[in-house]
Amino acid sequence: MSFVVGAQAESPFHTGVWQLNTPEGPRGLVVSDWLVFEDGLPKRWLYRRAGTNDANQFDFFTRTMGDSGYTPVGIRVYRTGDNSMKYTLAPKGGDPIEVSAVRLSIPNFENSCLSVEKKGKRFFGNWTGTAGSTLKKLRVGRNSLTIDGKTRKVSIEEVRVGRMGIMENGRPIAFLTDAGGDYAVLQWFRPGVSEEQMRNKEREILDFEAEEIVRNPGGTCDRQIASRLKAMK
Protein backbone atom coordinates (compact mmCIF):
# COMPACT_ATOMS: atom_id res chain seq x y z
CA MET A 1 0.00 0.00 0.00
CA SER A 2 1.29 3.43 -0.89
CA PHE A 3 1.42 6.05 1.82
CA VAL A 4 2.92 9.43 2.55
CA VAL A 5 5.64 9.59 5.18
CA GLY A 6 4.36 11.40 8.26
CA ALA A 7 7.53 13.11 9.42
CA GLN A 8 9.16 15.53 7.00
CA ALA A 9 10.61 18.99 7.67
CA GLU A 10 8.44 19.39 10.75
CA SER A 11 6.02 17.22 12.65
CA PRO A 12 2.54 16.95 11.14
CA PHE A 13 -0.21 19.25 12.39
CA HIS A 14 -1.86 16.44 14.38
CA THR A 15 1.20 15.68 16.53
CA GLY A 16 0.62 16.68 20.14
CA VAL A 17 -1.79 16.60 23.07
CA TRP A 18 -5.38 17.63 22.35
CA GLN A 19 -8.69 18.15 24.11
CA LEU A 20 -11.55 16.50 22.24
CA ASN A 21 -14.90 18.17 22.93
CA THR A 22 -17.23 15.17 22.87
CA PRO A 23 -20.96 15.10 23.74
CA GLU A 24 -19.94 13.23 26.92
CA GLY A 25 -17.47 15.95 27.90
CA PRO A 26 -13.78 16.75 27.30
CA ARG A 27 -11.48 13.83 26.49
CA GLY A 28 -7.72 13.75 25.97
CA LEU A 29 -6.11 12.76 22.68
CA VAL A 30 -2.37 12.04 22.46
CA VAL A 31 -0.86 11.63 18.99
CA SER A 32 2.74 11.31 17.81
CA ASP A 33 3.77 11.70 14.17
CA TRP A 34 2.65 8.16 13.29
CA LEU A 35 0.63 6.84 16.24
CA VAL A 36 -2.43 7.49 18.36
CA PHE A 37 -1.86 6.67 22.03
CA GLU A 38 -4.39 4.85 24.21
CA ASP A 39 -4.08 4.20 27.94
CA GLY A 40 -0.63 5.77 27.95
CA LEU A 41 0.91 3.59 25.22
CA PRO A 42 1.16 3.93 21.43
CA LYS A 43 -1.74 1.95 19.99
CA ARG A 44 -2.91 2.83 16.46
CA TRP A 45 -0.60 3.42 13.51
CA LEU A 46 -1.49 6.24 11.13
CA TYR A 47 -0.86 5.95 7.37
CA ARG A 48 -1.65 9.11 5.50
CA ARG A 49 -3.95 8.48 2.57
CA ALA A 50 -2.15 9.65 -0.56
CA GLY A 51 -4.02 12.22 -2.62
CA THR A 52 -6.55 13.16 0.06
CA ASN A 53 -4.62 15.77 2.01
CA ASP A 54 -4.16 19.44 1.30
CA ALA A 55 -3.10 22.32 3.49
CA ASN A 56 -5.87 21.68 6.00
CA GLN A 57 -7.25 18.15 5.61
CA PHE A 58 -5.41 14.91 6.37
CA ASP A 59 -7.02 11.49 5.98
CA PHE A 60 -5.49 8.37 7.49
CA PHE A 61 -5.83 4.65 7.25
CA THR A 62 -5.23 3.09 10.67
CA ARG A 63 -3.80 -0.16 11.99
CA THR A 64 -3.99 -1.39 15.56
CA MET A 65 -0.68 -2.49 17.07
CA GLY A 66 -0.18 -6.21 16.44
CA ASP A 67 -2.76 -6.49 13.65
CA SER A 68 -1.75 -7.72 10.20
CA GLY A 69 -3.74 -5.20 8.16
CA TYR A 70 -5.68 -1.99 8.26
CA THR A 71 -8.24 -1.47 11.01
CA PRO A 72 -11.70 -0.67 9.58
CA VAL A 73 -11.71 2.79 11.18
CA GLY A 74 -10.29 5.78 9.36
CA ILE A 75 -9.29 9.10 10.90
CA ARG A 76 -9.61 12.58 9.44
CA VAL A 77 -7.94 15.69 10.79
CA TYR A 78 -9.29 18.99 9.49
CA ARG A 79 -7.41 22.09 10.59
CA THR A 80 -9.75 24.89 11.68
CA GLY A 81 -7.09 27.17 13.18
CA ASP A 82 -3.47 27.27 14.28
CA ASN A 83 -4.34 25.20 17.36
CA SER A 84 -7.76 23.75 16.59
CA MET A 85 -9.18 21.02 14.41
CA LYS A 86 -12.14 18.82 13.64
CA TYR A 87 -11.31 15.20 14.44
CA THR A 88 -13.36 12.53 12.70
CA LEU A 89 -13.49 8.77 13.28
CA ALA A 90 -14.94 6.97 10.26
CA PRO A 91 -15.87 3.33 10.98
CA LYS A 92 -16.18 1.32 7.77
CA GLY A 93 -19.84 1.01 6.90
CA GLY A 94 -20.88 3.34 9.72
CA ASP A 95 -21.61 7.03 10.22
CA PRO A 96 -18.55 9.24 10.82
CA ILE A 97 -18.18 10.67 14.32
CA GLU A 98 -16.87 14.25 14.27
CA VAL A 99 -15.82 16.36 17.26
CA SER A 100 -13.94 19.62 17.65
CA ALA A 101 -10.53 19.69 19.33
CA VAL A 102 -8.13 22.27 20.75
CA ARG A 103 -4.38 21.83 21.17
CA LEU A 104 -2.95 21.64 24.68
CA SER A 105 0.69 21.22 23.61
CA ILE A 106 3.38 23.05 21.64
CA PRO A 107 3.02 22.63 17.83
CA ASN A 108 6.73 22.54 17.04
CA PHE A 109 8.97 19.52 16.44
CA GLU A 110 11.95 21.10 18.18
CA ASN A 111 9.99 21.41 21.41
CA SER A 112 7.38 18.67 21.08
CA CYS A 113 8.43 15.49 22.85
CA LEU A 114 5.91 13.53 20.73
CA SER A 115 7.70 14.38 17.50
CA VAL A 116 10.15 11.94 15.89
CA GLU A 117 11.90 14.58 13.77
CA LYS A 118 15.62 15.22 14.43
CA LYS A 119 15.76 12.69 17.27
CA GLY A 120 17.51 9.71 15.67
CA LYS A 121 20.19 9.47 18.37
CA ARG A 122 17.67 8.35 20.95
CA PHE A 123 17.40 4.95 19.30
CA PHE A 124 20.69 3.90 20.86
CA GLY A 125 20.95 2.93 24.51
CA ASN A 126 18.70 1.20 27.01
CA TRP A 127 14.98 0.54 26.79
CA THR A 128 12.63 -1.22 29.17
CA GLY A 129 9.66 -3.44 28.45
CA THR A 130 6.06 -2.27 28.84
CA ALA A 131 2.62 -3.83 29.06
CA GLY A 132 2.85 -3.94 25.25
CA SER A 133 5.94 -6.17 25.13
CA THR A 134 7.17 -9.60 26.11
CA LEU A 135 10.78 -8.49 26.62
CA LYS A 136 11.94 -6.84 29.82
CA LYS A 137 15.12 -5.07 28.72
CA LEU A 138 16.50 -3.97 25.37
CA ARG A 139 19.85 -2.40 24.64
CA VAL A 140 20.60 -1.04 21.18
CA GLY A 141 24.23 -0.54 20.20
CA ARG A 142 25.76 0.56 16.91
CA ASN A 143 26.37 -3.08 15.97
CA SER A 144 24.48 -5.07 18.56
CA LEU A 145 21.04 -5.83 19.94
CA THR A 146 20.79 -7.15 23.49
CA ILE A 147 17.44 -8.54 24.64
CA ASP A 148 17.10 -9.71 28.25
CA GLY A 149 20.84 -10.30 28.46
CA LYS A 150 21.28 -12.11 25.12
CA THR A 151 23.35 -10.19 22.55
CA ARG A 152 23.07 -10.49 18.79
CA LYS A 153 25.55 -8.97 16.32
CA VAL A 154 23.59 -6.84 13.86
CA SER A 155 23.90 -3.94 11.46
CA ILE A 156 21.59 -0.96 11.88
CA GLU A 157 20.73 1.71 9.33
CA GLU A 158 18.27 4.56 9.15
CA VAL A 159 15.72 3.68 6.48
CA ARG A 160 13.36 6.60 7.16
CA VAL A 161 13.08 9.50 9.55
CA GLY A 162 12.18 7.85 12.84
CA ARG A 163 12.86 4.28 11.71
CA MET A 164 15.91 2.02 11.81
CA GLY A 165 16.28 -1.19 9.81
CA ILE A 166 18.06 -4.04 11.60
CA MET A 167 19.90 -6.80 9.75
CA GLU A 168 21.56 -9.98 11.01
CA ASN A 169 23.94 -11.97 8.78
CA GLY A 170 22.82 -9.88 5.81
CA ARG A 171 19.13 -10.62 6.41
CA PRO A 172 16.55 -8.00 7.50
CA ILE A 173 15.09 -9.03 10.86
CA ALA A 174 13.31 -5.98 12.29
CA PHE A 175 12.48 -2.30 12.36
CA LEU A 176 13.05 -0.17 15.42
CA THR A 177 10.48 2.58 14.97
CA ASP A 178 10.26 5.76 17.01
CA ALA A 179 6.72 5.84 18.41
CA GLY A 180 7.13 9.38 19.70
CA GLY A 181 7.10 10.35 23.35
CA ASP A 182 9.18 8.03 25.51
CA TYR A 183 8.48 5.00 23.32
CA ALA A 184 9.75 2.92 20.43
CA VAL A 185 8.46 -0.24 18.78
CA LEU A 186 10.64 -3.22 17.90
CA GLN A 187 8.87 -4.72 14.87
CA TRP A 188 10.02 -8.26 14.08
CA PHE A 189 9.72 -9.16 10.39
CA ARG A 190 8.09 -12.30 9.15
CA PRO A 191 10.47 -14.49 7.09
CA GLY A 192 11.10 -13.34 3.53
CA VAL A 193 11.34 -9.56 3.92
CA SER A 194 14.01 -8.31 1.49
CA GLU A 195 16.45 -5.42 1.85
CA GLU A 196 14.49 -3.59 -0.85
CA GLN A 197 11.25 -3.94 1.13
CA MET A 198 12.94 -2.83 4.33
CA ARG A 199 14.29 0.30 2.64
CA ASN A 200 11.23 1.11 0.55
CA LYS A 201 9.88 4.54 1.58
CA GLU A 202 6.71 4.31 -0.50
CA ARG A 203 5.26 0.96 0.54
CA GLU A 204 4.59 0.17 4.15
CA ILE A 205 4.99 -3.27 5.72
CA LEU A 206 1.79 -4.03 7.65
CA ASP A 207 2.27 -7.62 8.79
CA PHE A 208 4.88 -8.38 11.47
CA GLU A 209 5.79 -11.43 13.49
CA ALA A 210 5.46 -9.28 16.60
CA GLU A 211 5.51 -5.63 17.69
CA GLU A 212 7.16 -4.91 21.04
CA ILE A 213 6.54 -1.53 22.70
CA VAL A 214 9.53 -0.35 24.74
CA ARG A 215 10.11 2.75 26.85
CA ASN A 216 13.11 5.00 27.41
CA PRO A 217 13.58 4.72 31.20
CA GLY A 218 14.97 8.25 31.32
CA GLY A 219 12.17 9.77 29.28
CA THR A 220 10.22 12.80 30.48
CA CYS A 221 7.45 12.93 27.87
CA ASP A 222 4.92 10.93 29.90
CA ARG A 223 5.19 13.56 32.61
CA GLN A 224 4.81 16.39 30.10
CA ILE A 225 1.74 14.73 28.55
CA ALA A 226 0.14 14.27 31.98
CA SER A 227 0.75 17.95 32.73
CA ARG A 228 -0.89 19.01 29.46
CA LEU A 229 -3.92 16.79 30.04
CA LYS A 230 -4.48 18.43 33.42
CA ALA A 231 -5.16 21.66 31.52
CA MET A 232 -8.39 20.30 30.02
CA LYS A 233 -11.48 22.36 30.78
Side-chain angles (χ1 to χ4, degrees):
M1 289 288 185
S2 295
F3 79 113
V4 177
V5 176
Q8 296 176 358
E10 293 192 18
S11 290
F13 175 75
H14 64 259
T15 300
V17 183
W18 297 82
Q19 174 180 313
L20 299 181
N21 300 310
T22 76
E24 296 77 30
R27 182 165 66 86
L29 174 71
V30 179
V31 193
S32 68
D33 289 9
W34 296 336
L35 281 151
V36 178
F37 282 54
E38 288 185 15
D39 300 320
L41 290 177
K43 177 71 174 181
R44 300 186 187 279
W45 293 96
L46 297 173
Y47 307 97
R48 190 179 299 174
R49 194 168 180 168
T52 61
N53 53 290
D54 57 24
N56 294 312
Q57 181 173 305
F58 309 91
D59 289 1
F60 299 95
F61 297 108
T62 66
R63 180 175 68 82
T64 301
M65 191 79 67
D67 283 359
S68 60
Y70 290 125
T71 302
V73 179
I75 288 176
R76 170 172 290 175
V77 168
Y78 187 84
R79 185 201 310 248
T80 56
D82 289 344
N83 294 293
S84 62
M85 67 175 176
K86 290 180 181 177
Y87 184 79
T88 305
L89 293 177
K92 190 173 182 178
D95 293 330
I97 302 164
E98 181 185 285
V99 298
S100 65
V102 292
R103 183 187 295 279
L104 302 173
S105 62
I106 299 168
N108 184 314
F109 78 84
E110 291 182 344
N111 295 314
S112 171
C113 67
L114 283 159
S115 168
V116 308
E117 180 72 23
K118 305 249 178 154
K119 296 175 181 174
K121 290 181 180 178
R122 68 182 178 187
F123 278 114
F124 299 101
N126 294 314
W127 300 86
T128 57
T130 67
S133 69
T134 58
L135 62 83
K136 292 181 175 60
K137 291 185 179 180
L138 169 69
R139 179 169 177 78
V140 183
R142 296 287 173 178
N143 303 107
S144 64
L145 201 65
T146 303
I147 299 173
D148 294 336
K150 296 181 179 179
T151 300
R152 304 167 69 163
K153 187 176 180 181
V154 299
S155 61
I156 299 177
E157 63 183 83
E158 185 176 46
V159 295
R160 191 176 301 159
V161 172
R163 174 168 287 170
M164 296 291 191
I166 303 172
M167 298 179 64
E168 184 178 45
N169 299 320
R171 179 177 61 90
I173 60 169
F175 282 141
L176 184 61
T177 301
D178 193 332
D182 296 332
Y183 299 93
V185 186
L186 184 61
Q187 301 173 288
W188 294 109
F189 296 143
R190 293 192 183 278
V193 172
S194 66
E195 291 181 51
E196 290 74 19
Q197 287 174 301
M198 181 184 77
R199 294 173 178 145
N200 193 325
K201 296 183 180 181
E202 297 182 355
R203 289 188 177 273
E204 181 74 348
I205 297 172
L206 300 177
D207 189 11
F208 295 92
E209 191 74 45
E211 292 182 281
E212 305 260 21
I213 304 170
V214 293
R215 185 182 188 278
N216 174 359
T220 62
C221 196
D222 281 351
R223 189 163 65 247
Q224 294 179 53
I225 290 169
S227 174
R228 296 292 180 182
L229 291 174
K230 285 181 181 179
M232 283 197 296
K233 300 174 183 178

